[in-house]
Amino acid sequence: ERQCLGCNVHRPKRELIRVVRCPDGEIVLDAKGKTSGRGAYICPEKTCFIKARKSKRIENVLECSIPEHIYDAMEARIDELSEEADD
């Protein structure tokens, strides 16, 4: 289990979205949960994403700034997962 940086709820890894700072410093979304590096997790819910982004908790955990395109990709992934849940 991992803790969401938005709501602080512990959930299984597979239910969360993982952002990774790779050893070379690159920031990526990790869909499979296998990428090596420092990870940060958020629930696939818009409220958690907004809260974690506003408070810069992801940046603090990864100890680096997060590029805008990573935030955009996270938001798109959350939207995609919420659409799947609605079906």
Side-chain angles (χ1 to χ4, degrees), residues 26-78:
E26 182 183 12
I27 308 297
V28 296
L29 282 182
D30 182 16
K32 298 194 183 229
K34 303 281 184 185
T35 304
S36 67
R38 178 101 175 130
Y41 297 83
I42 64 162
C43 294
E45 298 174 21
K46 197 74 121 178
T47 55
C48 291
F49 171 73
I50 292 167
K51 188 173 182 179
R53 184 176 185 176
K54 184 177 179 181
S55 64
K56 298 188 181 228
R57 291 189 76 191
I58 299 169
E59 293 182 9
N60 292 337
V61 167
L62 297 181
E63 299 174 344
C64 64
S65 61
I66 308 295
E68 194 64 34
H69 73 275
I70 296 297
Y71 281 126
D72 293 342
M74 290 172 66
E75 190 168 13
R77 180 73 177 135
I78 290 168

